[in-house]
Every structure is written in C-alpha cells, then in structure tokens.
C-alpha cells in the first residue's frame, strides 16, 4: 500500500526465502524485507538499485543461510551476504588485479563445504568456474577448466553423503572431491539427458536423491550408487603407416612380417623418416571417452597427453634406437599403466656409421695434432729466444713456459694414447668416446698454446692489448655457454703496461671467475667492466646468477682461494661480493707500469 512502510514495498518480488527459524524474507525493489507472520507487516532494509536488486534485474538464483544466521545470495550482480542482526549487506565482486577476489561477478549457486561448512562456501559462477570462499578471511580461490573442469559455467552445486560435490555445467555433470580436487565428468554417453544444464534447476531430496534440470529434461540419481568401472583395458598397437600410407604384412617396404600387434620392433632406413602409429584401448563401454598418453623414448622427454586421439606421428628422427610406449584408460579414467610398446630402429647412412667416423676422425686428429705440435713448437722456440734477450723477464717467463710446455706435452701424450685405444675399441660406442676425448684434448692444447704465446710476447704488455685479449676471451667463453655478455670498456686507455707475470696471473684470475659463472651461477647475463685509474686497473666480473652467502663455503671455494692467491702473488687485490638470489661480483685490481702518453681505442 502506497505510503505504508509496513506493507509489501513493491509488487516486483525477486525472491522469497524461508530461513532455518521459519522467518520469511522477501527480496525486490532494491530492498530486503522480513515478514511478521502475526501482524502481516513487513520490516524493510533499503539498499538501492545500484547495489541491490532493482525491479528489472534477474532475481538471485542461489540462497543459503550459514551457521551465524547470515543469508547469502548468488546473483548476476555478485555474491551478497546479509546479516539480519545488524542489517549489514556486503557484496563480493571481481576486482581486477586481485587474485584473492572472486574471479567473476556473475554467480549462480552456493553450497557449504561438506567437511568444513563453517569455514568454506563453494560458489558456482557463469564463466569463472567453481570458486571457494574462506568465510574467515573473505579470500577466494578458483577451480576452472585449467584445473580439470569441463566448463567454466557452474549452474548448480549439491553435496552427497560422502562429502563429494556434484556440479551441473554446460559440458556435463561433474563429480568434484573438495579435498583432493579430483574431477570426474559424466556426459550424455553415460546416460544423462544431455550435456547442457540450466540455472536454478537443481535439488536434493531428504532421501539424498539429486535432481538436475537441463535442456532435454532432468536427471535423477542417487550419488552413492554411481560407481566407476574398475576394468583395466588392454592396450594394443593397431597400425603402422609410412608417409601416411598403411604398411601391410609382406609389402614392398619389408617392414612387417606379421601383424603389428604381434610385432616387437621394426627397422627403418634413414630415408623412411615420416611414420605414424595407431593404438587402442580395448574397452567398448563408451570408447569415445577412452584416453591415451604416449612417449617415444630417446626423443620425447615425458609422456604426451593425447586425449581421445589414437595416432602418434613422428618426422625426421635421427638414426638410432627408440622405444614407442603408449598407455590408455577406460571410459571411467582407470589407466593401464603398463600399456604397449614397439621398438623402432632407424638405420644410419654409411657416412654416419661408427667405423666410418672412427676412421676419418683418427686420420684427421693425427694430422691436426702433428701439425699443431710442429707449428706451436716452432713458435714457442722463437718466443723463448726473444725472452733470452730480455734478462729482466727471462726467469719468470721461462717458468711459465716450462709449466705450460709440460702441460701441453702431457696433453699430446694423452692424444697419442687415446688414438691407440680407439684403434683397439671393443665397440662403436667406446670408440666414439675415445674420439670425443681426443677432439677435446686437441682443442685444449691449441688454447693452451695461444695463452702461452700471449703471456710471453712483450708486444702484448700494453694495457690496451691486455684489455682486448681478456674481453675477447670472456665474450667468446660466455657466448659458447649461452650466457649474454656485456662489455664496458673505456673509450681511451693509457699506454701503461703490465709485466708478463701480472698479465698471466690477471688473465688466469679472470678465467677462473668466468668459469665459476658458467659452472655454478646459473646466470643468464654477465658483464665485464674495466676501469683504469692513475696507477691501477680494475677488472670487474658481475653476473645475475643465484649467488651465495659470503659467510658460507661456496661449491667453488677452491676457485675463490685461487683467485685471491693469484692477486696476492702480484701485489693485487681480489674482492668478492655475493648474496643468495642477487648474483656475484668479483673485482680484480692490479698495479700498472707507468707510461707518459694515452692511446685511443
């Protein structure tokens, strides 16, 4: 009645709800009213159309009263909580950028958690999947298609006697375990009216029988009687195709001599590099719901989920031996983990066979090793003669030369020994291992000779040459390791010099530092910074790797002590700063021999 605040406020009533104490609540017209049954009058709390339900708004489709007598409403305008004792209304909506808010404002259903009803509420949404609200903190968490739900529209939620939730969606009926988050989807093929359901069309009787309404009728069932099939299906390989053509027994490919399901393995030439394998799970209840996973050992790092697809295709595989494995499930998700397997051998061309590689490799390595030894020995003797003319440097450079010569001699002896071992190899694999070690030893020998030449040649004493050599080494070394290298070099450097001993120790310290970055830091980027002051030069090597606590012993502690000893031996300074998660910085400072002029870079 107009002008009477105790009468029905509006004829546009959106929802009528009777709570656990028998009180009748009426929602509509931007307000919520409580009916006094004795007097027939209403007491209204008005909220306004902007926040609440206006006359033209869809009514709330989900209503629930919690243990504190608060009433919850699920609607297109959000999730609402009304406290009758304080007449306080709170709305929960999606907040952009807030991961703990509900992930959509359009809510459809409410159900208390069957295990902790006083703490958690489950909210069905239109587009946001299933949301769980922690009532004690007002924090939401979401479970969507990415977590295994078949669809992000959850119309209705009911709980059974076992504490399991049943959800009606646009892609089937879902059984959801709120403790393990396990999802089991039932579809029309399982006997349902259809795969699509409707909002508000869900009900559980006192006997525990559930009803869910959809676009083709409604489903009625007792949840406790729904059991998954325990049958573990046999998995078989049913076909093999080459370049998309099925291979038959005894055909011109000569691949199959019997049925593929009875074949343990196939042999292919390196040209037969596009093949497909088909397979099946022998469960015929609802075969379109059988699922598969497959893996090609030697190529795939892990099993690949294939869904209902029953074919795996591979192209351009390297020669070698592989094992194809496939496992599958029945229509209720029970897996045969053992599955089926097929060995696949791809034969190499003759130029990729082990005997050809060993023959060519040994010949080349012997030629290269002999040539390098003769050339480097001649260059080394020439440098030694030059050093003899410089008495002040003779003793130190002779010491370096002797140490390096012994090292190189040992490496060449190792190359000779490995060459003999490769000739007497018992297997192709053992021979290839010897070849790889020979190749590595040759490369290390050449690098060692280059360092010797640089260390003893007086023409590299100038700071400019030292910086150029070290920066080039750092950039190449880090680049080979896949680490981005930044160089910060002054535009102008003086013509000051470093002695052979200073250059050698400085280079070895830098080499140790970048080696630690590659082996221990896990860095993506490293930087070399050179700063020249009046009488010193500082080389700083910094990385963005994992770092370490300077108070603890890092895994490369011997390398750290070597760095400091090398700097101490030439009167330099080594400073190391690091922290877990903040990378590592090594500063190496050495003195310069004074000169008068500056040389532009």
């Amino acid at each position: 009645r107009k002008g009477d605040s105790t009468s029905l406020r509006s004829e546009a009533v959106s929802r009528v709800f009777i709570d656990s104490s028998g009180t009748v609540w009426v929602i509509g017209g931007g307000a919520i009213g409580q009916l006094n049954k004795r007097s027939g009058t209403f007491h209204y709390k008005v909220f306004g159309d902007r926040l609440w339900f206006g006359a033209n708004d869809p009514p709330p489709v989900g209503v629930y009263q919690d243990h504190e007598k608060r009433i919850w409403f699920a609607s297109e305008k959000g999730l609402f909580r009304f406290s009758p004792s304080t007449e306080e209304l709170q709305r929960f909506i999606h907040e952009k950028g807030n991961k703990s808010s509900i992930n959509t404002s359009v809510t459809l259903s409410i159900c208390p958690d069957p295990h902790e009803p006083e703490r958690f509420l489950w909210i069905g949404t239109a587009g946001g999947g299933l949301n769980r609200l922690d009532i004690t903190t007002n924090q939401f968490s979401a479970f969507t298609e990415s977590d295994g739900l078949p669809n992000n529209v959850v119309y209705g939620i009911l709980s059974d006697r076992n504490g399991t939730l049943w959800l009606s969606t646009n892609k089937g009926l879902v059984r959801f375990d709120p403790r393990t988050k396990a999802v089991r989807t039932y579809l029309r093929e399982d006997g349902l009216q259809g795969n699509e359901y409707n909002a508000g069309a869900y009900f559980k009787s006192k006997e525990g029988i559930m009803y869910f309404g959809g676009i083709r009728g409604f489903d009625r069932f007792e949840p406790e009687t729904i059991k998954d099939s325990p049958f573990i299906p046999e998995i078989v390989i049913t076909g093999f195709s080459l370049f998309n053509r099925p291979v038959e027994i005894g055909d011109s490919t000569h691949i199959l001599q019997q049925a593929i399901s009875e074949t343990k393995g196939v042999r292919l030439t390196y040209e037969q590099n596009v093949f497909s394998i088909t397979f099946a799970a022998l469960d015929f209840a609802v075969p379109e719901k059988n699922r598969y996973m497959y893996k090609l050992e030697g190529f795939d790092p892990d099993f690949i989920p294939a869904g209902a697809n029953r074919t795996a295709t591979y192209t351009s595989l390297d020669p070698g031996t592989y094992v194809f494995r496939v496992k599958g499930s029945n229509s209720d998700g029970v897996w045969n983990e053992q599955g089926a397997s097929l060995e696949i051998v791809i034969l190499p061309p003759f130029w990729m066979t082990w005997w050809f590689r060993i023959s060519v490799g040994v010949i080349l390595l012997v030629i290269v090793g002999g040539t390098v030894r003769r050339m480097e020995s001649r260059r080394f003797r020439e440098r030694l003669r030059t050093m003899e003319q410089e008495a002040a440097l003779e003793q130190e450079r002779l010491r370096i030369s002797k140490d390096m010569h012994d090292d190189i001699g040992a490496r060449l002896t190792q190359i000779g020994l490995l060459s003999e071992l490769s000739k007497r190899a018992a297997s192709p694999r053992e021979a290839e291992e010897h070849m790889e070690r020979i190749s590595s030893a040759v490369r290390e020998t050449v690098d060692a000779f280059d360092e010797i030449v640089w260390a003893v040649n007086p023409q590299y004493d100038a700071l400019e040459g030292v910086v150029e050599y070290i920066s080039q080494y750092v950039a190449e070394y880090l680049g080979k390791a896949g680490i981005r290298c930044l160089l910060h070099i002054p535009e102008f450097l003086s013509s000051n010099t470093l002695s052979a001993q200073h250059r050698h120790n400085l280079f070895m310290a830098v080499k140790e530092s970048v080696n630690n970055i590659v082996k221990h830091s896990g860095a993506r980027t490293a930087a070399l910074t050179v700063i020249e002051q009046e009488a010193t030069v500082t080389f700083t090597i910094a990385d963005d790797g994992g770092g370490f606590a300077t108070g603890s012993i890092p895994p490369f502690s011997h390398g750290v002590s070597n760095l400091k000893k090398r700097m101490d031996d030439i009167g330099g300074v080594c400073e190391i700063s690091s922290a877990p998660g903040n990378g590592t910085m090594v500063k190496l400072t050495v003195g310069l021999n004074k000169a008068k002029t500056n040389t532009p870079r």
Side-chain angles (χ1 to χ4, degrees):
R1 295 184 298 273
K2 189 174 182 180
D4 184 358
S5 61
T6 64
S7 68
L8 190 64
R9 186 169 186 268
S10 170
E11 294 181 356
V13 176
S14 299
R15 185 73 183 241
V16 176
F17 171 68
I18 302 176
D19 66 20
S20 59
S21 63
T23 302
V24 177
W25 299 89
V26 178
I27 305 170
I32 181 169
Q34 180 182 8
L35 173 64
N36 187 320
K37 294 182 180 180
R38 293 184 178 181
S39 63
T41 60
F42 289 88
H43 169 69
Y44 272 94
K45 176 64 177 179
V46 180
F47 299 100
D49 291 354
R50 184 182 64 82
L51 179 66
W52 192 240
F53 305 104
N56 298 320
D57 288 328
V61 292
V63 182
Y64 169 71
Q65 186 179 35
D66 65 20
H67 64 287
E68 294 184 6
K69 307 300 182 182
R70 297 173 298 188
I71 303 174
W72 298 78
F73 303 96
S75 77
E76 291 188 3
K77 285 192 170 185
L79 177 69
F80 290 86
R81 179 174 65 194
F82 177 68
S83 299
S85 60
T86 62
E87 295 189 341
E88 176 187 4
L89 180 71
Q90 184 174 1
R91 181 169 67 157
F92 300 90
I93 60 174
H94 174 65
E95 300 172 14
K96 188 175 182 180
N98 183 2
K99 294 183 179 180
S100 63
S101 69
I102 193 168
N103 66 349
T104 180
S105 297
V106 183
T107 58
L108 301 173
S109 53
I110 308 170
C111 181
D113 186 87
H115 305 284
E116 297 183 78
E118 296 183 359
R119 181 177 178 184
F120 296 117
L121 289 182
W122 293 93
I123 313 299
T125 72
L130 183 65
N131 281 243
R132 187 183 73 175
L133 170 62
D134 188 333
I135 302 174
T136 63
T137 63
N138 290 340
Q139 303 291 305
F140 288 84
S141 55
F143 301 88
T144 63
E145 292 179 10
S146 61
D147 301 300
L149 290 183
N151 184 248
N152 282 335
V153 177
V154 178
Y155 289 118
I157 311 172
L158 296 174
S159 62
D160 62 22
R161 295 188 182 97
N162 296 325
T164 301
L165 299 180
W166 294 79
L167 322 174
S168 57
T169 74
N170 271 338
K171 288 187 178 180
L173 191 65
V174 176
R175 184 178 65 194
F176 179 79
D177 190 328
R179 293 163 297 186
T180 65
K181 311 303 183 296
V183 173
R184 170 71 167 91
T185 302
Y186 298 91
L187 302 172
R188 185 177 182 183
E189 294 82 0
D190 295 300
L192 301 180
Q193 52 82 33
N195 293 336
E196 184 175 345
Y197 290 84
N198 289 324
Y202 59 99
F203 172 72
K204 184 176 74 171
S205 70
K206 294 180 179 179
E207 294 77 18
I209 298 175
M210 292 186 179
Y211 299 82
F212 287 96
I215 61 173
R216 297 176 180 269
F218 69 90
D219 297 307
R220 174 191 180 278
F221 62 93
E222 295 182 51
E224 291 74 22
T225 65
I226 307 299
K227 305 293 183 182
D228 288 339
S229 169
F231 173 68
I232 299 177
E234 180 183 356
I235 309 301
V236 295
I237 295 176
T238 58
F240 188 89
S241 297
L242 195 62
F243 298 105
N244 295 323
R245 292 184 178 180
V247 175
E248 304 294 342
I249 298 174
D251 64 13
S252 59
T253 65
H254 305 295
I255 293 175
L256 293 181
Q257 306 305 317
Q258 57 184 346
I260 187 64
S261 60
E262 303 296 326
T263 299
K264 302 297 183 182
V266 297
R267 295 169 66 88
L268 307 175
T269 69
Y270 72 96
E271 295 175 325
Q272 296 171 323
N273 58 0
V274 179
F275 61 87
S276 301
I277 303 172
T278 56
F279 38 83
L282 302 185
D283 174 51
F284 307 105
V286 189
E288 57 269 26
K289 293 186 66 178
N290 297 344
R291 293 295 179 263
Y292 304 91
M293 298 178 72
Y294 63 83
K295 172 185 180 181
L296 187 63
E297 290 183 354
F299 181 76
D300 295 321
D302 205 347
F303 277 93
I304 300 172
N309 179 37
R310 300 192 301 107
T311 302
T313 300
Y314 291 91
T315 64
S316 303
L317 293 175
D318 293 332
T321 300
Y322 305 87
V323 178
F324 177 79
R325 299 190 184 278
V326 58
K327 53 188 180 180
S329 75
N330 68 7
S331 57
D332 285 331
V334 177
W335 285 82
N336 182 331
E337 294 291 343
Q338 182 176 359
S341 65
L342 179 69
E343 183 182 71
I344 300 171
V345 178
I346 301 178
L347 302 174
F350 79 91
W351 61 84
M352 294 181 66
T353 57
W354 66 269
W355 56 265
F356 184 85
R357 289 181 174 181
I358 291 176
S359 300
V360 174
V362 169
I363 293 171
L364 290 177
L365 287 173
V366 170
I367 294 173
V368 171
T371 302
V372 168
R373 183 168 187 172
R374 286 194 300 272
M375 293 177 60
E376 295 301 332
S377 295
R378 184 171 61 252
R379 293 172 60 187
F380 189 69
R381 288 193 298 270
E382 292 173 356
R383 296 298 177 269
L384 285 178
R385 283 194 296 270
T386 302
M387 290 171 57
E388 290 172 356
Q389 299 172 2
E390 302 174 4
L393 301 177
E394 181 177 0
Q395 184 177 359
E396 177 59 26
R397 295 189 179 185
L398 188 59
R399 181 187 65 79
I400 296 174
S401 300
K402 182 178 181 304
D403 291 345
M404 296 302 291
H405 184 270
D406 291 344
D407 179 55
I408 292 169
R411 294 183 189 279
L412 291 174
T413 301
Q414 181 188 19
I415 291 173
L417 177 60
L418 291 173
S419 298
E420 290 298 322
L421 291 175
S422 67
K423 295 177 183 178
R424 291 176 281 178
S427 66
R429 181 174 185 85
E430 182 181 354
E432 288 183 358
E433 291 176 353
H434 289 318
M435 285 181 58
E436 292 175 357
R437 294 175 62 188
I438 292 172
S439 177
S440 176
V442 170
R443 288 195 300 271
E444 292 173 359
T445 302
V446 174
D447 291 342
F449 265 112
D450 285 341
E451 293 172 14
I452 293 170
V453 172
W454 177 76
V456 300
N457 194 335
Q459 77 179 59
Y460 299 124
D461 286 351
L463 177 59
E464 179 183 11
V466 174
V467 172
E468 182 176 357
Y469 186 89
I470 290 178
S471 60
Q472 181 178 351
Y473 172 84
V474 171
E476 290 180 356
Y477 189 87
L478 293 177
K480 290 178 181 178
I483 298 175
R484 183 185 177 204
C485 178
L486 305 178
L487 299 177
H488 304 290
I489 310 300
E491 184 177 358
F492 295 94
L493 291 170
S494 72
S495 57
N496 292 340
T497 62
L498 287 89
S499 69
Q501 182 184 10
H502 281 58
R503 285 191 289 116
H504 174 72
N505 280 27
L506 175 61
F507 173 73
M508 295 305 291
V510 171
K511 187 175 181 180
E512 184 77 28
S513 299
V514 295
N515 185 54
N516 286 339
I517 291 175
V518 171
K519 286 187 176 182
H520 306 291
S521 71
R524 295 184 177 179
T525 303
L528 171 65
T529 303
V530 179
I531 298 176
E532 182 187 10
Q533 296 178 333
E534 183 175 353
T536 62
V537 62
T538 300
F539 286 71
T540 302
I541 304 100
D543 66 75
D544 62 358
F548 62 91
T550 55
S552 63
I553 300 177
F556 50 95
S557 56
H558 294 298
V560 172
S561 61
N562 288 340
L563 288 177
K564 294 185 176 181
K565 185 177 185 307
R566 289 189 182 280
M567 290 294 100
D568 289 342
D569 289 346
I570 57 175
V573 177
C574 173
E575 300 174 78
I576 300 176
S577 59
S578 182
N582 290 326
T584 302
M585 182 174 69
V586 178
K587 294 178 66 176
L588 308 171
T589 303
V590 296
L592 295 171
N593 295 326
K594 191 66 175 177
K596 295 181 179 180
T597 59
N598 290 338
T599 302
R601 283 184 54 78

